Amino acid sequence: MISESSSFIKGVVLGGVFCMLVTLLGHIKVGHGTKAHHHEHHHIQAPNKEDVLNLSEGERVELSKSIRVYCIILVKPKDLGHWAAARETWSKHCDKAEFYSSENVKVFDSVAVNTNDMWVMMRKAYKITYERYKDEFSWFFLAYPTTFAIIENLKYFLLKKDPSQPFYIGHTVKSGDLEYVDGEGGIVLSLESLRRLAHVLGDPDKCPEQGGMIWKLAEDKQLAICLKYTGVFAENAEDSEGKDVFNTKSVGALIKEAMSTHPQQVVDGCCSDMAITFSGLAPNHMHVMMYGVYRLRPYGHSYSDALVFLPPPGSDND
């Protein structure tokens, strides 16, 4: 009896190891098999201010009007405090922002996708977005409720980028053979990338709704795998000096790091002047960020920016 029990336990362990290897090999296959061409991860930068100044007044106005950003914020009922803060602060600066929730919540308007699985939530949000807004917007920004975004800086970054090209932009991370955009810093897709994604979402072999048998990949990694099948690769966004503009940490955390690594140049060592996102913020910190970014101004100081991104019609943004 004891030997039978021992044999059974050994069988379970060996079976589990085998399943793990099968799952791992499946993911490795995705990493290599999707490379139709050798693709080196590269960094893309915001335009130089001089390039913008060289544009005519008419070109500047046309550009500022043409960049329309649709914002997707993924939320759950447990995120009500962050949900309210994002709704009252930065999301007002999107040309249109919608909250995609795991279930219907009476307190706030949202698009209920009726699932708690983050990857399924993300899939459904992108699918609905493409079906409803493919003819209305050219850029699509996805964020979590703990993210604070400066949409005007995002628009400036996208100024000379063509949405008919497959862009997949943010703060990139390498995991084994996979390069992906970290969801904590926000994810930007061009219209072409969203079109390709919407198509591959219907292919369960290339872009399954469920992950591996033993463990589940995070939703941002799943997204990268699906996009890789369509020839869309993650690109790290930087300012003209090479600093990251999508941040996966809060301003406070980045300043603390800079104080230990660059004690003589804390500000320069911390963050880009054209930062687009910060993450891991508490709801009250979002309101503080809103004050610092949009409301606090030194009297008599002129910023003389070459472009003005006007708020959406009817918006009550700051």
Side-chain angles (χ1 to χ4, degrees), residues 38 62 130 147 188 191 204 217 238 250 288:
H38 182 64
E62 188 59 36
Y130 182 71
T147 301
V188 176
L191 178 58
L217 284 178
E238 301 170 351
S250 67
V288 172

Side-chain angles (χ1 to χ4, degrees), residues 166-186:
F167 284 104
Y168 163 42
I169 304 168
H171 179 94
T172 58
V173 179
K174 196 168 179 67
S175 176
D177 216 28
L178 180 69
E179 201 112 38
Y180 67 98
V181 171
D182 192 329
E184 290 294 336

Side-chain angles (χ1 to χ4, degrees), residues 245-272:
V245 291
F246 287 84
N247 296 291
T248 57
K249 298 177 182 178
S250 67
V251 176
L254 291 168
I255 288 175
K256 275 187 179 180
E257 288 181 5
M259 287 176 72
S260 63
T261 57
H262 302 85
Q264 305 305 317
Q265 295 179 310
V266 173
V267 175
D268 286 342
C270 161
C271 320
S272 166

Side-chain angles (χ1 to χ4, degrees), residues 110-178:
S110 66
V111 181
V113 293
N114 302 314
T115 178
N116 273 306
D117 185 292
M118 287 300 292
W119 170 229
V120 180
M121 282 183 69
M122 185 180 281
R123 289 171 62 98
K124 288 188 174 184
Y126 276 131
K127 187 173 185 294
I128 293 168
T129 295
Y130 182 71
E131 290 171 352
R132 293 181 180 177
Y133 302 115
K134 63 179 182 291
D135 298 322
E136 193 173 342
F137 299 95
S138 50
W139 296 98
F140 303 86
F141 173 64
L142 182 142
Y144 297 147
T146 55
T147 301
F148 185 93
I150 304 160
I151 298 301
E152 291 81 1
N153 286 359
L154 173 58
K155 289 186 173 185
Y156 177 75
F157 181 85
L158 298 172
L159 196 61
K160 301 186 79 176
K161 293 169 180 61
D162 183 355
S164 67
Q165 296 300 311
F167 284 104
Y168 163 42
I169 304 168
H171 179 94
T172 58
V173 179
K174 196 168 179 67
S175 176
D177 216 28
L178 180 69

Side-chain angles (χ1 to χ4, degrees), residues 278-292:
F278 295 96
S279 189
L281 278 74
N284 58 337
H285 292 164
M286 286 199 187
H287 288 283
V288 172
M289 286 289 293
M290 199 69 182
Y291 169 74

